[in-house]
Amino acid sequence: MTATEFFAETGERALLRESARELAARYGHDYYSRKSRSNERMTELWAELGEQGFLGITVPEAHGGSGLGLSELSIVAEELAAAGCPVLLMAVVPAICTPILSRYGTEGQKQRWLPRFASGETIMAFAITEPDAGSNSHRLSTTAERVDAGWRLRGQKYYISGIDEAEAVLVVARTENGLSLFVVPTDAKGFERSEIPVEIVAPERQFTLFFDDVLLAEDALVGEEGEGLRQVFAGLNPERIIGASKATGMGLYALRKAADYARERVVWDVPIGAHQGLAHPLAKAKIEVELARLMTQKAAWLYDQGLDAGEASNMAKYAAAEAALAALDQAIQTHGGNGLSTEYGLADMWFAARLSRTAPVSREMVLNYVAQHSLGLPKSY
């Protein structure tokens, strides 16, 4: 990426953003809200994302994708959210599962999954979180034991998205030599799920997963046994980057809605946007969203160059979550009582933005990371 492309998005990236924006506008927040409230999947949108090549951005050309990077995928995730349609699974399938399988999967695993990821034909979920482990991956208790036929999986996962849509789930489990990754079919015998009721208005639902002596073939293992923790970071930094892009998109959506309303709403014979009490907080929110976008672009660029993107990915996720939440909060305030009305499409987005402060990594864990790794302070946990 040249300096001009980094800051101005010329050429192919500009065309990509325009195409993504056009697709997103055809669906938008009304579609997202309708699907969310009726507990329906965004099947039509996901299919079109696949048809137009957006889901194959990070899939290698040899397996049906375009072989591009997170810089390009970030554009698509941001434009979807900026249209009021923040697609959570954009941070799972193309951002976690695709990079991990592309880098560590066997040729058989790549041929089976990657082309269908690119086309949108199938979805794979990701499961690392457990009830008793929280952010401490070293305390994961789900186990995979070698047996004659391959592996026996036992344990539980918590707050896993999209299981009701997925054909398989990429599971992090403890094996004899450390953590390992396994592709587990969602129809496997002994695999059960239970939906977790949440207040977030979103099409993607959350589940607890139960693995009761689930038998897996030998080829369910991804990469090397015991190397799962190292391998999983091929997907966790991209997840944070795409999560950040989704958050900045929500911030842009909120600011557009607020600015439009502040220009059109007239009280005491002037538009309410003429009052600095509203104009300045919106301007501040705009600055914060744009700063978060820059850090997200930096994180994506570092990852695409094969450089260490850990610090930038964490900072981008933190900055974007805070900026999105502030933008939505101020947009709601700008609308007054209308900000809480379903018609104006803001209050439900606030919950989606609020989630980004907690997941995929909490802001407290990001601050721990920056304190320890960026500032060299003693580890606090």
Side-chain angles (χ1 to χ4, degrees):
M1 182 192 298
T2 66
T4 301
E5 289 173 328
F6 193 89
F7 292 108
E9 280 186 356
T10 59
E12 292 184 359
R13 287 210 175 109
L15 291 174
L16 174 64
R17 186 174 291 279
E18 181 180 351
S19 297
R21 183 174 295 156
E22 289 176 355
L23 184 151
R26 291 202 300 275
Y27 290 89
H29 189 67
D30 287 344
Y31 171 85
Y32 180 85
S33 180
R34 185 173 69 255
K35 291 290 185 178
S36 300
R37 296 178 190 281
S38 61
N39 286 325
E40 296 180 28
R41 304 169 184 173
M42 295 188 290
T43 307
E44 305 88 352
L45 174 56
W46 193 261
E48 191 164 355
L49 285 168
E51 290 169 7
Q52 294 201 22
F54 295 125
L55 297 179
I57 283 176
T58 54
V59 173
E61 291 183 84
H63 294 98
S66 54
L68 299 174
L70 286 186
S71 297
E72 289 79 13
L73 186 63
S74 294
I75 291 172
V76 177
E78 185 179 70
E79 287 300 326
L80 287 168
C85 200
V87 182
L88 188 153
L89 289 177
M90 289 294 291
V92 178
V93 185
I96 301 177
C97 299
T98 295
I100 289 176
L101 289 179
S102 296
R103 187 174 300 184
Y104 299 109
T106 64
E107 188 56 35
Q109 289 168 340
K110 293 176 184 178
Q111 290 179 1
R112 178 178 181 184
W113 296 106
L114 295 180
R116 295 194 296 143
F117 287 168
S119 67
E121 179 184 346
T122 194
I123 288 173
M124 181 179 287
F126 176 71
I128 185 171
T129 314
E130 295 184 3
D132 297 324
S135 298
N136 187 356
S137 59
H138 298 286
R139 290 190 61 186
L140 296 180
S141 59
T142 297
T143 61
E145 177 188 9
R146 281 193 180 275
V147 294
D148 291 340
W151 301 89
R152 179 188 289 114
L153 187 65
R154 294 171 173 166
Q156 184 177 344
K157 296 293 182 181
Y158 198 48
Y159 277 102
I160 309 304
S161 306
I163 289 296
D164 55 330
E165 305 179 55
E167 181 180 346
V169 55
L170 187 60
V171 176
V172 184
R174 187 168 301 283
T175 54
E176 183 179 1
N177 297 312
L179 297 180
S180 302
L181 300 179
F182 297 89
V183 175
V184 182
T186 53
D187 63 356
K189 184 178 180 180
F191 180 16
E192 301 291 339
R193 71 189 192 210
S194 175
E195 185 174 351
I196 303 171
V198 296
E199 293 297 330
I200 299 170
V201 181
E204 301 93 353
R205 291 179 281 178
Q206 304 297 316
F207 294 88
T208 300
L209 309 184
F210 304 93
F211 306 101
D212 184 9
D213 289 336
V214 175
L215 294 178
L216 302 172
E218 182 65 37
D219 63 3
L221 176 69
V222 176
E224 297 182 34
E225 188 264 329
E227 292 294 319
L229 187 59
R230 177 178 62 86
Q231 293 167 185
V232 81
F233 275 96
L236 292 187
N237 284 333
E239 179 190 31
R240 290 167 191 181
I241 293 168
I242 300 306
S245 296
K246 185 163 67 74
T248 57
M250 287 189 282
L252 293 172
Y253 168 85
L255 290 169
R256 174 175 56 81
K257 299 273 285 187
D260 287 347
Y261 189 84
R263 284 191 298 267
E264 296 167 3
R265 173 72 167 159
V266 175
V267 179
W268 291 299
D269 300 324
V270 296
I272 61 174
H275 300 297
Q276 291 180 353
L278 286 178
H280 283 186
L282 289 175
K284 180 175 181 287
K286 171 65 172 175
I287 291 169
E288 291 170 348
V289 168
E290 292 300 331
L291 290 173
R293 293 181 77 200
L294 281 175
M295 180 53 78
T296 303
Q297 289 175 343
K298 176 183 178 180
W301 181 84
L302 288 169
Y303 184 88
D304 290 342
Q305 299 301 311
L307 302 172
D308 184 3
E311 179 187 69
S313 299
N314 278 285
M315 288 182 173
K317 187 269 173 191
Y318 178 97
E322 298 301 309
L325 197 55
L328 270 158
D329 190 70
Q330 189 56 43
I332 291 170
Q333 189 69 17
T334 299
H335 281 71
N338 284 335
L340 301 178
S341 169
T342 302
E343 176 187 353
Y344 287 85
L346 287 169
D348 58 345
M349 290 282 280
W350 188 92
F351 284 99
R354 181 60 182 82
L355 175 63
S356 67
R357 184 183 271 178
T358 302
V361 59
S362 71
R363 66 175 179 176
E364 289 75 18
M365 288 305 295
V366 172
L367 293 173
N368 283 336
Y369 181 97
V370 172
Q372 180 184 349
H373 297 281
S374 304
L375 299 177
L377 299 177
K379 187 174 182 179
S380 61
Y381 59 95

